[in-house]
Amino acid sequence: EEKSIKAASPKALRELDFAKGSMGPKIFASCRFVENTGRKATIGRLSDVEGIIDGKAGTLIDMSIDGIEYYQG
């Protein structure tokens, strides 16, 4: 069963296996951005932009997160 990731550290995401033709390139580019700038990154659908801004959709990648947090439900 695949769980939706709400938030994660770059380190934790790098330990997971993402397909190269799907989310992999987006995840790893976002991890590099966070590691190189110290800023946060969020991945999500453009149609979910309001939910992403509110923290209710998408995946937040941040150095301050310990491990991975999943959406409930």
Side-chain angles (χ1 to χ4, degrees):
E1 179 181 325
E2 189 173 300
K3 297 181 188 177
S4 296
I5 298 172
K6 181 174 184 177
S9 68
K11 181 180 183 290
L13 288 175
R14 289 185 182 282
E15 294 174 359
L16 299 178
D17 184 33
F18 295 97
K20 291 182 181 181
S22 64
M23 289 302 294
K26 297 174 191 95
I27 294 288
F28 296 121
S30 298
C31 288
R32 279 194 309 272
F33 172 81
V34 171
E35 292 164 339
N36 290 334
T37 66
R39 298 178 68 185
K40 299 175 184 180
T42 305
I43 298 171
R45 291 187 202 114
L46 187 55
S47 61
D48 291 337
V49 70
E50 289 182 24
I52 292 169
I53 292 169
D54 293 339
K56 297 177 182 175
T59 300
L60 172 67
I61 303 170
D62 188 357
M63 296 293 284
S64 68
I65 297 167
D66 185 27
I68 296 176
E69 300 170 15
Y70 294 95
Y71 281 102
Q72 300 298 316

